[in-house]
Amino acid sequence: MAAVDQKAATFTVTGNRLDAAARGSRVDYPVLWLGLLSVLYNGILAFINHNIMPLSLTHVAASEGLILASAIIYILHKGIYETDLPAFLFLLFTLVVTIYVSVLNRMPFVDHFRNVLIIFCFSGLGGWSNEKTMKLAFRWASLAVLIFLIFEIVSVPFYVSIVHPSDYFANTRGLLPLSYNKTGLFQNALGFPERFSFGIIDHRSSSIFLEQVSLANFCGVIAIYLISMWERTGRWDRLLFIATAVLILVTNDTRTMLIFCFACIVGYFVFPKIPKNFNLALMPLIVAAGFLVYTLKPNATGDNFTGRINLTMKKIMDLDPLAVLGLSVDRVGEFADSGYVYLLYAATIFGVIAFWLFVCLFPAGRTAAQRRCAHSLSLFIFLNMMIGGTAVFSMKIAGLLWFVVGYMRFHDSPRIRQGRAADVES
């Protein structure tokens, strides 16, 4: 009888593995479309705004809310497992901080909760995604970005006729174009003569993102995906991702992502040799380096690397002591260009610590590929927060970024349903 039970258990395990393999070969379309929409939804709304009907901020918020709600429904349908608890507890802690800040300031403030909800949703989707679905999401997203980038490079009027970024931001964000901006592009994409540039085009490219900062950061997301999945990525996909990243770098005039991409090339060989927990030291080291730059060049200003670092350092040193406890949330709008200060005002010192720990500890670090993903993620976020603001929290970037992080966390150790494990044990 024991032998029969053992055979039955073996058959059950084998059957489960075959079922998992079959599921892994299928495209999970809800996950695929949610991943794609995180990148494309602003471009789709801009097309509607310019060619069909005027939109407002309400339409943008509703679209984002629908994507997040769909992701939450999908994740809850799958179930929350023990391995999902870090992300769930991070979201729960952020909700507590959000309530605390809102009550303390006598005004609803959900910005940081929204940012963490995006992380929770897309890391969860990535955790449930199979390899085929994730590869399709990145392939199609990169292809869309590349096509619209080529449109923009070849003919700005044609690109504007499709999405008209200037009108979109005027209608949905209240950012009216400046008098000298007759191009139809988002005014911040026009740049200025002194800015670093390869001189390929006469403005900073935006592609499907409609503004230049998100496109630059998408290049960083591609870099993280490539060094995490390089050995499992086919030749044509490698060519697509590299071509997209290079074209972004030479037309977007982004110094930070140029540095980050070179760091990822070196990191492909170096990151697997570094323990994952080293990431805990990365944020303090980057902030300390910022203070060193400020000490050496205290008068550096302008839209350059040292100027942006100094801007962040000055805002940190001018920090309102009450802000670290969440008592100055009404000033958070002043710090959209300084990520660390924005996070302090929006989430309190407790929220900053929780975010730091989650970014460093949530990614897996068992394999070489997982360590590449973990180290590149921390470098991308903590470096970005030194010279930029809220871009790494937007769904356009955070969606696919945390999608790949969630996938890499589970790709070599898939969840096992408790019922099946119990059947085998019995």
Side-chain angles (χ1 to χ4, degrees), residues 105-139:
N105 290 270
R106 299 181 181 180
M107 58 178 285
F109 182 78
V110 298
D111 281 27
H112 182 58
F113 180 75
R114 163 195 170 270
N115 296 338
V116 175
L117 184 62
I118 290 171
I119 294 172
F120 171 81
C121 287
F122 285 93
S123 62
L125 290 175
W128 284 110
S129 175
N130 57 42
E131 185 171 316
K132 186 172 185 178
T133 301
M134 189 191 66
K135 286 182 174 179
L136 278 175
F138 271 85
R139 182 185 304 155

Side-chain angles (χ1 to χ4, degrees), residues 198 223 227 249 255-269 271 379:
F198 284 99
I227 70 167
L249 290 174
R255 300 145 299 186
T256 307
M257 286 305 107
L258 189 62
I259 294 170
F260 176 74
C261 287
F262 277 115
C264 284
I265 294 172
V266 176
Y268 181 84
F269 305 99
F271 289 160
L379 182 61

Side-chain angles (χ1 to χ4, degrees), residues 11 49 60 76 109 123 126 131 153 158 164 178 209 214 230 236 269 291 324 326 344 348 395:
F11 179 78
N49 177 76
V60 179
L76 292 179
F109 182 78
S123 62
E131 185 171 316
I153 293 169
F158 177 67
H164 210 297
L178 299 175
F209 299 103
S214 292
W230 181 261
W236 290 109
F269 305 99
F291 276 110
V324 299
L344 273 167
T348 77
M395 186 187 292

Side-chain angles (χ1 to χ4, degrees), residues 86-102 109-120 343 346-348 350-352 354-355 358:
F88 180 76
L89 292 176
F90 180 42
L91 182 68
L92 189 62
F93 175 80
T94 304
L95 178 60
V96 172
V97 171
T98 298
I99 295 171
Y100 161 78
V101 168
S102 297
F109 182 78
V110 298
D111 281 27
H112 182 58
F113 180 75
R114 163 195 170 270
N115 296 338
V116 175
L117 184 62
I118 290 171
I119 294 172
F120 171 81
L343 197 58
T348 77
F350 309 109
V352 171
F355 179 75
F358 184 81

